[in-house]
Amino acid sequence: MVRAALGIGFAAGLAVLAGLSLTVGLTFGGWLVGIAVALVVNGLLASGLARAGTTVGPADRVTLLRAALVGGVCALIVSSISGAISLKALVVLASVALILDGVDGRVARATGTVSALGARFDLETDALLILALSCYDARLFGRWVLLIGAARYLLLAAGSLWPWLREPAPPRYWCKVVAAIQGILLTAIAPQLLPVGVAVLLLLTSLGLLAESFGREVLWLYRHRGVPAPVLLVSAQSHV
C-alpha cells in the first residue's frame, strides 16, 4: 500500500512536469530537477514511514500533491535560468501549493491521523517551496533574499555543530503563520508587478518575521539544552 501511494505521488510529480512541458515549456535542466525532487521527496517519505512502521495517511496524500506542485515550481525556476518562463504558471502552481497547505492539516485532524512524520513532511514541503521561490526572487532583488529560503537549512546544518538544536521545540501556530507569509510574499513579488521599493520592504519584513520566529525557537532550545530528551519532549508538548 505504501509503495502504491508513493508511486502515485511520483506519478503526480511527473504529470505536473509533463503538463508544464506541453503548455509553457521546460528545459532539460528543469526536467532533471523536477524528477530529482519527486525522487527525493518520495524516497525520504518512504524511509520515514518504514522507520515509523506506519503507512501513507489521507493528509500525506494531500502533501504529496503539494510536493508534486513544488517540484513543478522548482522545474520552472531552473528553466528560467536559460530564458523567460511563464510567470503565470509559476504563480498558479505556488498559489495552489500554498492553499493546500491549509488543507492537509485539517484532513489529518478530521481523520484522526495526525502524526509527527506527517507534520515533518508538511514542514519540509513548505521549506522547499520557500527555498525555490527565494532563489527566483534573489535574481530580481539581490542575493540577500536567499536568506529567507536558506534559514531552515542553515538551522539544520547548525544542528550538526550544536546537537541541542536538533531537539524538539514547542510547536507554535505562529511558525505556520510565518511560513505561510513567506510563501505568499515570495509568490506575490515574483511577477514584478509591485514597485521595487514596496517589494524590497515586503521582503525585509518577511525576513524580519522569519528571524523572530527562528530566534524564539533557538532561544528556547538554548535555555533547555542538556535536558534529557524525554523530559524535553514533555516540556515541549506542554506548550501546545
Side-chain angles (χ1 to χ4, degrees):
M1 184 176 179
V2 172
R3 289 183 179 179
L6 295 178
I8 293 174
F10 182 72
L14 291 182
V16 170
L17 296 177
L20 290 173
S21 184
L22 291 172
T23 55
V24 299
L26 288 177
T27 64
F28 180 69
W31 264 99
L32 283 181
V33 169
I35 291 174
V37 168
L39 286 172
V40 170
V41 166
N42 286 274
L44 290 177
L45 181 58
S47 177
L49 290 169
R51 289 195 303 271
T54 57
T55 186
V56 178
D60 296 327
R61 298 176 193 273
V62 177
T63 312
L64 278 171
L65 175 57
R66 289 182 56 223
L69 297 173
V70 172
V73 170
C74 293
L76 281 171
I77 290 173
V78 171
S79 295
S80 72
I81 297 174
S82 301
I85 58 166
S86 171
L87 286 173
K88 181 178 180 180
L90 177 66
V91 171
V92 168
L93 287 184
S95 298
V96 174
L98 289 168
I99 291 171
L100 289 176
D101 187 27
V103 174
D104 47 12
R106 293 183 181 181
V107 171
R109 290 187 292 272
T111 58
T113 56
V114 176
S115 69
L117 177 60
R120 180 66 181 272
F121 183 29
D122 179 46
L123 170 65
E124 299 303 343
T125 301
D126 290 341
L128 179 58
L129 176 60
I130 292 171
L131 175 62
L133 291 171
S134 68
C135 286
Y136 184 81
D137 288 352
R139 302 204 331 253
L140 305 175
F141 301 101
R143 294 179 182 177
W144 63 271
V145 180
L146 287 172
L147 288 172
I148 297 175
R152 164 68 180 165
Y153 302 98
L154 290 174
L155 184 61
L156 289 176
S160 63
L161 297 176
W162 299 287
W164 51 269
L165 284 172
R166 300 199 299 266
E167 298 297 336
R172 292 181 295 120
Y173 181 72
W174 177 241
C175 293
K176 290 288 294 181
V177 173
V178 171
I181 290 174
Q182 312 304 311
I184 292 170
L185 291 183
L186 289 170
T187 301
I189 288 169
Q192 292 182 272
L193 299 177
L194 298 174
V196 174
V198 174
V200 170
L201 179 60
L202 290 175
L203 287 169
L204 288 172
T205 301
S206 177
L207 187 58
L209 290 173
L210 194 63
E212 183 276 335
S213 180
F214 275 92
R216 187 184 300 185
E217 179 176 327
V218 170
L219 180 60
W220 189 92
L221 289 171
Y222 177 76
R223 288 174 174 173
H224 292 79
R225 68 193 187 285
V227 177
V231 177
L232 186 61
L233 182 59
V234 171
S235 177
Q237 291 174 339
S238 69
H239 284 73
V240 178

